[in-house]
C-alpha cells in the first residue's frame, strides 16, 4: 500500500511520522519550502517570537511524540507561580475562578447569575438541532456567563464567535453530560476530576516540533505543489508542479488531504466536486499576532499568570493578551516584558485587516491602558497577519465532516484542523488515529 499525503502542516507531518512507524509507504508533499503550517517561530534580535500558537497544552500523544523526537530537554514550563488567566470586566481584570463551584463563591458574577448556576441541575435537558455554544450556555447558565466567560474562552481557543459555533463540534462532551445526567454540573460532579493539562513551549520556539518531525521523515517532498488528483481503476495519480522526481508517474492506493479547507477545495474540484463545494463554504477568520515589549519599570500591573482575555462586551481591540515573558522569561531581554496580543477572530475580524501601523498603535494604546504602562512608546513591536487563520466549526462544517467520512470509502481521507479541531494536540491525536485506521485497512487492499 502507498499513501500520498498533501500538506505538511502539523497534521500531515504527524500522519507521515505515524505511518512510517507502522511501515506504511507514503509520500508527503508540501508546496512551500518550509513545513509546519500555522506553527511558525521567528528570532528578531533579542526576541524569540511565536507567530502562530503562543504555547501548547500537553496531552498523551504530544508527550509521547516529544519523547520519541528527543525534545524533552527543549520543553519549557511557565515560570509563573500560577497558571491563572484573567478576564476583563467593567474595565478591570479579574482572576478567572478555576472551577464552576469556585465561580459560585467568587465575586466575579452577579448574585442573580450565581443563583442560576446553582439551579442549573433543575433545568430540563433539551435537544436543540444545530445548537450554538451561546444558546446552550444561555439556556443553562444565563446571559452573563455567555458574555463574560464563554465569549472570551471561545475566542481564546477557537478565535470564534460563540453565537455561530456549534456546540456538538466544539464542546461535545458538555452536550453528552446534559443528555446523560440532565445537568452539566451534575455530570461534572460524577466524573473523576482530570488533572489540568500543563502549558509548555520549546526552547528554540514551537517550530522546533514540526522541523523535528520533518527531519525523521524519509519521503518528504517540499516545494512540490500538487495541482490535481486523478482517480482511475481504483488508484490515484497526482499532477505535481515542477516534478523533477517523476512522482506524478507513481500510483497511490490512498490520498490524505492535509490542507486548509480552501486549498483542499481547489484541489478536489475535479475529483470530488461535492466535498469541494462544501469545503469552499468553510469559514476562516483572519488574525493578527502582535508582540509588544516595554521596560519592566514602565509596567504598573503585576503580571502573575498566563494572560488576560477580553469579552466583546468590553468593546476591546484585541481578543486578549498573553504575558509571554512572565511565562517564558528567556524570550526577551531580562529588563523587559513581552506581551503577545491576538487581534481579529470571529467577532472582530475587521480589526485584523486594518493597516499594520494602525494595528500596532491600537494594541499599544490598549496595553498602556490595561497595564498602567508609563512609556509613551514600546521598545519593540512586531506584527504577523494570518488572512485565514482558523476554520470555524459553524453550521457549514457539518456537511464537510459528513462528506469527508463518506469519501473514506474511496480511500480519500482528511487530516487537517477543520476535521480534528484547531488545537495542535488534537491534530496530533487525530493523525495518530488515522494512521492506525489506514494501517488496519491495508490488508483489504493487498
Amino acid at each position: 500500500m502507498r499513501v500520498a499525503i498533501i500538506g505538511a502542516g502539523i497534521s500531515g507531518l504527524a500522519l507521515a511520522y505515524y505511518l512510517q512507524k507502522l511501515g506504511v509507504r507514503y509520500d508527503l508533499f508540501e508546496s512551500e519550502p518550509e513545513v509546519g503550517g500555522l506553527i511558525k517561530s521567528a528570532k528578531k534580535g533579542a526576541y524569540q517570537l511565536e507567530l502562530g500558537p503562543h504555547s501548547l497544552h500537553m496531552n498523551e500523544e504530544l508527550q509521547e511524540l516529544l519523547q520519541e523526537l528527543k525534545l524533552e530537554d527543549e520543553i519549557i514550563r511557565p515560570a509563573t507561580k500560577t497558571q491563572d488567566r484573567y478576564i476583563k470586566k467593567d474595565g478591570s481584570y479579574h482572576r478567572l475562578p478555576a472551577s464552576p463551584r469556585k465561580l459560585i463563591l467568587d465575586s466575579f458574577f452577579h448574585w442573580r447569575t450565581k443563583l442560576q448556576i446553582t439551579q442549573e441541575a433543575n433545568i430540563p435537558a433539551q435537544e436543540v438541532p444545530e445548537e450554538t455554544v451561546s444558546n446552550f450556555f444561555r439556556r443553562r447558565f444565563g446571559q452573563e456567563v455567555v458574555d463574560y466567560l464563554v465569549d472570551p474562552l471561545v475566542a481564546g481557543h477557537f478565535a470564534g464567535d460563540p453565537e455561530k459555533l456549534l456546540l456538538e463540534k466544539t464542546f461535545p462532551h458538555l452536550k453528552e453530560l446534559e443528555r446523560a445526567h440532565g445537568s452539566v454540573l451534575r455530570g461534572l460532579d460524577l466524573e473523576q476530576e482530570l488533572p489540568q493539562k500543563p502549558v509548555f513551549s520549546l526552547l528554540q520556539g514551537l517550530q522546533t516540533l514540526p522541523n523535528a518531525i520533518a527531519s525523521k521523515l524519509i519521503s518528504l517532498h517540499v516545494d512540490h505543489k500538487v495541482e490535481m488528483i486523478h482517480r482511475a481503476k481504483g488508484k490515484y495519480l497526482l499532477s505535481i508542479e515542477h516534478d523533477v522526481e517523476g512522482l506524478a508517474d507513481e500510483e497511490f492506493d490512498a490520498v490524505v488531504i492535509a490542507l486548509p479547507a480552501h486549498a483542499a477545495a481547489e484541489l478536489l474540484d475535479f475529483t470530488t466536486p461535492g466535498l469541494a463545494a462544501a469545503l469552499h463554504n468553510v469559514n476562516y477568520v483572519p488574525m493578527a499576532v502582535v508582540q509588544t515589549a516595554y521596560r519592566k519599570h514602565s509596567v504598573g500591573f503585576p503580571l502573575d499568570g498566563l494572560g488576560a482575555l477580553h469579552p466583546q462586551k468590553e468593546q476591546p481591540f484585541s481578543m486578549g493578551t498573553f504575558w509571554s515573558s512572565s511565562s517564558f522569561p528567556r524570550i526577551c531581554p531580562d529588563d523587559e516584558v513581552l506581551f503577545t496580543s491576538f487581534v481579529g477572530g470571529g467577532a472582530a475580524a475587521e480589526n485584523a485587516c486594518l493597516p499594520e501601523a494602525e494595528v500596532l498603535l491600537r494594541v499599544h494604546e490598549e496595553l498602556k491602558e490595561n497595564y498602567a504602562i508609563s512609556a509613551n512608546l514600546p521598545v519593540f513591536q512586531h506584527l504577523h497577519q494570518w488572512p485565514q487563520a482558523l476554520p470555524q466549526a459553524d453550521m457549514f462544517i457539518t456537511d464537510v465532516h459528513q462528506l469527508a467520512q463518506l469519501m473514506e470509502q474511496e480511500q480519500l481521507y482528511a487530516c487537517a484542523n477543520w476535521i480534528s479541531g484547531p488545537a495542535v494536540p488534537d491534530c496530533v491525536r487525530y493523525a495518530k488515529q488515522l494512521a492506525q485506521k489506514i494501517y488496519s485497512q491495508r490488508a483489504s487492499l493487498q
Side-chain angles (χ1 to χ4, degrees):
M1 182 182 186
R2 190 169 185 176
V3 181
I5 308 167
I6 305 172
I10 189 63
S11 295
L13 288 165
L15 177 64
Y17 177 82
Y18 290 122
L19 287 177
Q20 185 169 294
K21 283 185 66 179
L22 292 168
V24 178
R25 293 179 67 199
Y26 70 89
D27 285 281
L28 173 57
F29 301 96
E30 169 56 46
S31 62
E32 300 294 326
E34 280 192 337
V35 301
L38 291 174
I39 303 178
K40 192 174 289 292
S41 308
K43 187 78 173 175
K44 301 290 182 181
Y47 304 94
Q48 177 67 53
L49 310 180
E50 297 296 346
L51 310 183
H54 171 269
S55 55
L56 302 179
H57 282 94
M58 189 72 77
N59 69 352
E60 183 180 339
E61 290 80 9
L62 202 49
Q63 186 169 22
E64 179 185 72
L65 181 60
L66 290 166
Q67 289 171 348
E68 291 178 3
L69 295 171
K70 296 182 169 47
L71 292 178
E72 301 103 312
D73 293 340
E74 291 282 315
I75 296 173
I76 49 176
R77 309 286 187 185
T80 51
K81 296 177 183 177
T82 72
Q83 290 196 22
D84 288 341
R85 289 173 174 82
Y86 290 75
I87 289 181
K88 193 173 187 181
K89 187 178 184 189
D90 300 326
S92 59
Y93 286 136
H94 301 261
R95 184 181 58 83
L96 177 64
S99 71
R101 297 301 174 194
K102 290 182 179 179
L103 276 174
I104 298 170
L105 300 173
D106 197 271
S107 61
F108 185 76
F109 285 129
H110 191 276
W111 68 266
R112 290 191 184 90
T113 299
K114 291 192 283 186
L115 180 62
Q116 183 164 350
I117 293 172
T118 64
Q119 295 176 342
E120 186 267 341
N122 300 322
I123 298 173
Q126 294 181 37
E127 288 296 328
V128 181
E130 294 191 331
E131 184 168 28
T132 65
V133 174
S134 284
N135 190 72
F136 177 82
F137 280 92
R138 188 180 294 116
R139 66 180 174 81
R140 299 211 66 87
F141 298 101
Q143 186 62 44
E144 191 182 17
V145 170
V146 173
D147 289 340
Y148 283 100
L149 184 62
V150 176
D151 174 89
L153 290 177
V154 166
H157 189 72
F158 301 100
D161 181 351
E163 296 289 350
K164 297 177 181 177
L165 300 190
L166 299 181
L167 183 77
E168 291 273 16
K169 297 298 183 182
T170 49
F171 302 108
H173 184 55
L174 297 181
K175 186 62 185 177
E176 286 303 317
L177 292 178
E178 184 191 37
R179 285 176 180 147
H181 306 287
S183 161
V184 174
L185 295 184
R186 186 186 296 127
L188 290 173
D189 283 342
L190 293 172
E191 287 187 337
Q192 183 177 359
E193 188 171 348
L194 298 175
Q196 188 178 16
K197 294 178 181 178
V199 172
F200 74 97
S201 186
L202 296 172
L203 194 59
Q204 302 301 320
L206 291 177
Q207 197 172 343
T208 304
L209 174 59
N211 288 347
I213 299 174
S215 71
K216 302 295 184 183
L217 301 180
I218 58 176
S219 298
L220 167 63
H221 315 281
V222 296
D223 282 320
H224 278 62
K225 182 179 180 181
V226 178
E227 298 180 310
M228 189 174 292
I229 301 171
H230 311 270
R231 182 167 170 81
K233 298 180 181 179
K235 301 287 186 177
Y236 288 97
L237 292 168
L238 308 182
S239 295
I240 304 170
E241 189 179 59
H242 308 308
D243 180 29
V244 296
E245 299 175 61
L247 289 163
D249 297 327
E250 302 289 341
E251 291 183 337
F252 294 92
D253 300 288
V255 171
V256 182
I257 305 298
L259 297 168
H262 48 277
E266 294 175 4
L267 187 61
L268 295 173
D269 270 333
F270 174 75
T271 314
T272 57
L275 177 57
L279 286 165
H280 277 298
N281 289 330
V282 174
N283 289 311
Y284 276 71
V285 294
M287 194 182 303
V289 183
V290 180
Q291 277 90 10
T292 310
Y294 300 93
R295 302 289 184 195
K296 278 184 179 178
H297 63 76
S298 300
V299 181
F301 188 94
L303 302 174
D304 186 19
L306 297 181
L309 299 170
H310 300 154
Q312 284 300 304
K313 197 80 171 175
E314 295 291 305
Q315 298 182 321
F317 180 70
S318 72
M319 295 187 293
T321 298
F322 281 99
W323 306 339
S324 301
S325 56
S326 296
S327 298
F328 309 117
R330 300 180 186 180
I331 62 176
C332 72
D334 292 341
D335 62 342
E336 296 179 14
V337 296
L338 184 69
F339 298 96
T340 300
S341 302
F342 291 86
V343 178
E350 66 280 359
N351 289 348
C353 304
L354 294 169
E356 178 176 344
E358 184 174 352
V359 174
L360 293 175
L361 176 61
R362 292 185 65 174
V363 166
H364 162 63
E365 290 173 344
E366 186 175 67
L367 292 170
K368 187 176 171 68
E369 178 183 352
N370 289 339
Y371 299 103
I373 294 171
S374 59
N376 290 325
L377 292 172
V379 296
F380 172 83
Q381 231 178 354
H382 182 274
L383 175 144
H384 186 85
Q385 289 176 309
W386 297 96
Q388 292 180 306
L390 289 176
Q392 300 298 287
D394 56 22
M395 62 183 292
F396 295 103
I397 209 71
T398 303
D399 285 345
V400 172
H401 289 180
Q402 291 173 348
L403 289 167
Q405 188 173 10
L406 285 173
M407 291 311 303
E408 291 187 2
Q409 299 172 14
E410 305 292 329
Q411 308 303 318
L412 179 65
Y413 301 90
C415 188
N417 61 3
W418 44 266
I419 198 163
S420 65
V424 170
D426 294 336
C427 294
V428 172
R429 174 182 290 138
Y430 190 91
K432 186 176 184 180
Q433 293 170 348
L434 181 57
Q436 188 61 53
K437 179 189 291 188
I438 292 172
Y439 175 75
S440 299
Q441 293 178 350
R442 181 174 63 167
S444 64
L445 298 174
Q446 292 177 337

